Amino acid sequence: MAKSLRWAALGLGAVLAVAGCGTSGAPKVEQDAKAPLELWTRTTPGGDGEKGMKKLAAAFEAKTGQQIEVTAIFDDFETKLSQRAAQKDLPDIVMNDSSQLGTMVSQGIAREVDLSKIEGSDQLIESALTVAKAGDGKTYGVPYSAQASALLIRKDWRAKTGLPVPKTWDELTALAKAFTTQDPDGNGKNDTFGLAVPGSTKRGYASWYFSNFLWGAGGDFIAKQADGKYKPAMSTPESVAATKWFRDLACTSKVVQPGAATMDTPPTNETFEAGKTGLYVVGPYLMPRFDKSLGKDKYEVVPVPAGAKDATVLAEGGSAYLMAGSANEAGQNSWASYVISPEAQKLGMEGEKAFNVQLPVNKTVDVTSVRKDPRWKVYADVYRDSGRYAPSIPNWTPIRQATADTVNALIADCGLDVPAELTKLDGKLGEMLGQQGIAAS
Amino acid sequence: MSLKEAAPPVPPPAAPPSGARRRGSGARSGARKRSGKWWIPWLFLAPALILFVYFKFIPMAQAVSMSVQEVRPYLGNTWVGTANYVEILSSEGFRSATWNTILLAIGQTFGSMALGFGLALLVEGQTRKLTFIRSAAFLPVVVPIAVVAELWRIMYHPTSDGLLNQVIGLIGLGPSGFINDPDTSLASIAVTGIWRGAPYDMMIFLAGLAGIDRGLYEAATVDGASTKQRILHVTLPGLRPVFAILFVLAAVRGFRSFTEVFLLTNGGPNGSTEVVMTLIYKLGLEQNRLGVGSAGAVLLFVATLILTVCVQLLRKRRAV
């Protein structure tokens, strides 16, 4: 009885599934300029990010009379978006990481943006606008916030060791060593470490963190060729040198916190705020949290020291994606125009916690006009001078995942041979680039 | 996607009064004799069945159909035939994940069964105190797995002041990296799984032990059997059906290990704990390659199915 039923259900499901996949292509939707907009933002529901976005939305409603409803989702954001895509009923606007562009475009869920219809798009910082362009040269998003990585240092610890703010990688290593061996918290135990590293492979964290050092050393994950295609670049001498240096922090000088290989960002943040680690390379979004848990006076924010080449660090940001199949494209455009306007950029930066704009993407907005805290100036300068985004390729996630796997392996298993592992990684990257159709011959 | 959950818990047909052993004939004769409509049992089952169909069987069928397509939810899927299977079967990552899954399943299955059996022997009996101890021993099963993982992460702290490292330091070992060392990570996860699974097995063993005729023990004692001999010749044979059930349950559970791995190591370090489930998660939900992920899920389902059917066949052959 149970068996025959199982088969019946299987058959029924198969029929449904086959029926479901018959329809395809983006439907054309009748436009209605009054239709309320549905906006999804990737942030914790009930958290500060949601409050900040609601603040922006309210100001937008007051200004334009256009209704907009904000939904905050954090866990499995992309999965939930896929489900809505399968129902052919996407939210009108998605505020998400700029690095999601490739994925959204290859799924066909973000529509092309006509910049001439976005007021003020000529005031956008060029590098921020570049990430909104896909491999085909078309624009698929409107950046509204930017950030870059800087180095947080425990000020009181550094004062105790008497070392200067590091300007080179050697000085950084020396400081990390001092933090590890000289008992900077003075509790008589050898329980502090230098650099905090989220080295887990979850969401590709290991790779995400390492990019701050890889690029500074002149290395790269994948290198763009003259014809616009890409070649794997993790086994170049520069990349190998950067990887060796990073790996030595964990394996030779042992200044990375123990357990880094299985830590994603939450436990790593905790090591910094609990006084177990004294150096951390992160974006500005953690400052409110550390100000509260650790104290504003306990740490300082400085640019990441330059590597062999320069001080390039990872730049990231948020973009407004105008989703396909919306009944109110005019409304989408007016929201995009609004979030990049000087007015909204300033409003977005206001507040101690509930801010949504980390650094302005509008050239005419000066971060110091809103934020008097000099630490923000450090972040703004780093972003302008040394920020670099992950490349816009059809799907960056597998590349980040594969590099994270290797970086994670190297810091977890000190017996591995660095050049051999990186050569193996390059083989994998080459395959992935081939799958995405962007491999240089 | 396990068979254990996939099969709706249809109650076994009531034993016919005649004592006929065969299931089919028993059910038929029962239906003839019992008054009432044939659809009444189905009516009672309906709520569960509808839920099962909607939340289990349809998604299962969809996974099968997605495994032969390139899934693009908005643009529409395209048929790719066996390409997804070819890709996942030929990838080194899937092979090592399969191997890790098998190792973890074996380790957790036999570890939990051994520990559970030991615990069951210790807490078997009638007194009130034992009820309390049994409940206490059962606690790991009811603690949410996320809490378990976080607890063990703290216990596995890789420096010498970590909890478990202090313990093994007492006998002059360590400090071990536990989940942070590729050599010990899989074993550490297996230990967490055993810790959590053993009390569950213990309860089923206890139920089995209660079913063993006390007279056999007395007879064995009269014959001069030692404790070891009693366990070997009375308890273990008496528990044979329990072992078969537990083996299937534990093996299915082992094959599907996800949460503890995801939370403790996410497959790292160096892929040493990557199991099929975490790989499927990464492929499907992180990299958005749902087709390839579904192919992996279908393969896992088939493996579980084969295992379960084999155990059932073995059991039947023994029973006859």
Side-chain angles (χ1 to χ4, degrees):
Chain A
M1 251 188 316
K3 207 176 254 174
S4 62
L5 190 78
R6 207 177 305 156
W7 286 114
L10 206 70
L12 177 73
V15 169
L16 284 176
V18 171
C21 74
T23 53
S24 72
K28 267 278 159 226
V29 185
E30 209 169 302
Q31 293 296 306
D32 170 13
K34 287 271 175 298
L37 296 169
E38 186 186 2
L39 179 146
W40 279 18
T41 171
R42 189 173 166 274
T43 181
T44 320
D48 292 327
E50 184 184 17
K51 279 179 210 146
M53 194 58 74
K54 284 196 163 146
K55 186 173 73 182
L56 276 182
F60 172 70
E61 279 187 355
K63 192 180 170 205
T64 59
Q66 169 70 53
Q67 276 192 324
I68 187 160
E69 190 201 334
V70 174
T71 308
I73 297 175
F74 186 73
D75 291 318
D76 302 323
F77 186 87
E78 277 78 25
T79 314
K80 281 165 187 156
L81 200 57
S82 288
Q83 286 165 354
R84 286 288 293 267
Q87 296 166 23
K88 302 273 191 291
D89 176 27
L90 289 161
D92 300 278
I93 295 155
V94 165
M95 309 293 269
N96 198 2
D97 297 346
S98 296
S99 60
Q100 285 295 324
L101 184 96
T103 319
M104 294 218 182
V105 172
S106 60
Q107 291 185 326
I109 56 176
R111 76 166 166 89
E112 196 191 334
V113 177
D114 181 357
L115 284 177
S116 66
K117 287 192 180 148
I118 311 291
E119 256 172 78
S121 61
D122 52 329
Q123 294 171 358
L124 284 172
I125 294 174
E126 284 83 12
S127 60
L129 194 55
T130 321
V131 290
K133 286 195 170 64
D136 59 5
K138 293 177 186 165
T139 307
Y140 287 95
V142 179
Y144 70 94
S145 168
Q147 68 203 33
S149 304
L151 177 65
L152 309 189
I153 307 176
R154 273 296 290 262
K155 208 195 269 180
D156 50 337
W157 288 16
R158 192 173 65 77
K160 207 168 169 198
T161 59
L163 289 168
V165 170
K167 294 270 182 263
T168 63
W169 280 14
D170 287 342
E171 285 176 13
L172 180 68
T173 312
L175 188 60
K177 260 188 200 151
F179 282 177
T180 310
T181 55
Q182 296 183 9
D183 186 26
D185 61 352
N187 68 350
K189 281 190 214 153
N190 214 356
D191 60 352
T192 53
F193 293 89
L195 187 68
V197 175
S200 147
T201 55
K202 200 174 283 178
R203 298 193 89 222
Y205 279 128
S207 161
W208 169 84
Y209 196 74
F210 178 54
S211 53
N212 290 308
F213 300 109
L214 177 68
W215 288 336
D220 211 339
F221 298 106
I222 52 174
K224 199 169 188 173
Q225 305 299 302
D227 59 354
K229 306 244 171 170
Y230 288 87
K231 257 188 186 160
M234 280 301 281
S235 58
T236 61
E238 293 85 3
S239 299
V240 172
T243 316
K244 272 190 175 149
W245 177 80
F246 188 65
R247 184 275 176 111
D248 282 349
L249 292 179
C251 287
T252 315
S253 46
K254 296 193 186 341
V255 297
V256 169
Q257 91 276 17
T262 54
M263 283 193 189
D264 50 9
T265 48
T268 313
N269 296 341
E270 277 161 32
T271 66
F272 188 75
E273 60 192 2
K276 298 285 170 207
T277 51
L279 296 160
Y280 196 9
V281 177
V282 282
Y285 45 83
L286 279 174
M287 285 201 295
R289 171 174 168 163
F290 290 156
D291 284 355
K292 202 173 152 204
S293 57
L294 198 59
K296 228 176 186 171
D297 52 329
K298 282 280 175 57
Y299 69 100
E300 55 197 341
V301 179
V302 300
V304 178
K309 186 161 169 257
D310 51 26
T312 304
V313 287
L314 178 69
E316 292 181 293
S319 287
Y321 297 98
L322 313 182
M323 306 305 276
S326 167
N328 189 358
E329 293 196 358
Q332 290 180 310
N333 288 339
S334 86
W335 168 260
S337 308
Y338 175 72
V339 286
I340 60 171
S341 68
E343 176 200 343
Q345 292 272 299
K346 280 182 188 164
L347 181 64
M349 280 194 287
E350 271 168 16
E352 283 291 305
K353 282 188 296 189
F355 53 81
N356 262 63
V357 176
Q358 311 287 345
L359 295 171
V361 290
N362 189 315
K363 272 183 266 191
T364 65
V365 180
D366 178 14
V367 72
T368 54
S369 71
V370 182
R371 297 194 179 115
K372 303 298 171 207
D373 190 334
R375 298 177 303 173
W376 278 100
K377 181 86 170 67
V378 174
Y379 272 110
D381 291 348
V382 166
Y383 172 73
R384 193 192 54 222
D385 301 335
S386 319
R388 175 176 165 188
Y389 289 92
S392 296
I393 62 166
N395 196 350
W396 177 246
T397 320
I399 309 270
R400 189 167 65 184
Q401 189 71 55
T403 47
D405 285 346
T406 301
V407 173
N408 171 270
L410 289 171
I411 61 170
D413 187 347
C414 295
L416 291 176
D417 179 46
V418 176
E421 291 299 312
L422 292 177
T423 309
K424 225 178 2 174
L425 171 62
D426 262 1
K428 279 190 214 161
L429 294 180
E431 258 174 57
M432 289 172 180
L433 291 172
Q435 277 170 4
Q436 302 189 18
I438 51 168
S441 49
Chain B
M1 278 258 316
S2 77
L3 194 76
K4 175 199 140 205
E5 288 185 0
V10 180
S18 60
R21 280 193 68 110
R22 299 232 129 212
R23 258 190 177 197
S25 66
R28 231 175 288 137
S29 63
R32 189 161 21 89
K33 278 177 199 162
R34 242 180 274 122
S35 58
K37 303 280 190 282
W38 63 268
W39 46 263
I40 290 192
W42 287 106
L43 197 67
F44 280 100
L45 283 173
L49 283 180
I50 290 168
L51 287 176
F52 273 129
V53 166
Y54 206 78
F55 292 107
K56 288 256 183 244
F57 300 131
I58 292 179
M60 272 165 69
Q62 272 174 345
V64 174
S65 97
M66 274 159 73
S67 71
V68 290
Q69 303 185 45
E70 193 198 339
V71 181
R72 297 174 307 167
Y74 197 73
L75 294 173
N77 302 343
T78 46
W79 175 269
V80 292
T82 54
N84 289 336
Y85 288 96
V86 171
E87 187 187 330
I88 198 159
L89 282 172
S90 62
S91 79
E92 197 199 324
F94 183 73
R95 281 198 294 268
S96 79
T98 308
W99 181 234
N100 287 338
T101 309
I102 292 172
L103 283 181
L104 189 64
I106 291 176
Q108 288 192 345
T109 304
F110 289 102
S112 307
M113 274 167 71
L115 185 61
F117 184 61
L119 283 173
L121 289 181
L122 288 176
V123 304
E124 197 219 8
Q126 309 287 332
T127 62
R128 243 166 220 282
K129 269 184 212 138
L130 282 174
T131 324
F132 172 75
I133 292 172
R134 267 182 232 163
S135 313
F138 194 64
L139 270 180
V141 181
V142 283
V143 177
I145 185 88
V147 178
V148 172
E150 218 35 57
L151 267 175
W152 280 82
R153 170 196 288 288
I154 295 167
M155 296 205 288
Y156 279 144
H157 191 72
T159 58
S160 50
D161 56 352
L163 188 77
L164 281 179
N165 271 322
Q166 281 180 353
V167 173
I168 63 170
L170 292 178
I171 50 169
L173 293 173
S176 165
F178 293 114
I179 52 171
N180 293 289
D181 185 336
D183 297 328
T184 53
S185 52
L186 195 64
S188 305
I189 290 186
V191 168
T192 309
I194 290 169
W195 179 82
R196 189 164 195 266
Y200 182 79
D201 291 6
M202 173 193 83
M203 289 316 263
I204 300 183
F205 274 126
L206 279 174
L209 286 173
I212 296 175
D213 189 352
R214 293 270 137 191
L216 292 175
Y217 287 112
E218 279 157 27
T221 316
V222 169
D223 287 347
S226 64
T227 312
K228 191 180 145 204
Q229 282 170 325
R230 270 178 295 173
I231 291 179
L232 214 60
H233 297 293
V234 180
T235 316
L236 284 179
L239 287 176
R240 197 186 284 154
V242 176
F243 274 112
I245 297 271
L246 271 184
F247 181 77
V248 174
L249 289 183
V252 167
R253 203 166 59 207
F255 269 147
R256 292 186 310 147
S257 301
F258 173 74
T259 325
E260 63 264 45
V261 182
F262 182 71
L263 292 173
L264 281 172
T265 63
N266 191 38
N270 195 7
S272 58
T273 57
E274 190 86 273
V275 289
V276 175
M277 286 290 280
T278 54
L279 187 74
I280 293 171
Y281 180 86
K282 281 183 188 168
L283 282 170
L285 300 177
E286 282 183 2
Q287 302 184 18
N288 255 312
R289 309 189 61 205
L290 287 164
V292 185
S294 301
V298 170
L299 290 174
L300 183 64
F301 170 68
V302 170
T304 320
L305 187 72
I306 291 174
L307 179 85
T308 321
V309 169
C310 284
V311 172
Q312 295 292 349
L313 287 179
L314 277 176
R315 252 182 82 198
K316 246 179 211 162
R317 196 172 299 163
R318 277 245 182 106
V320 171

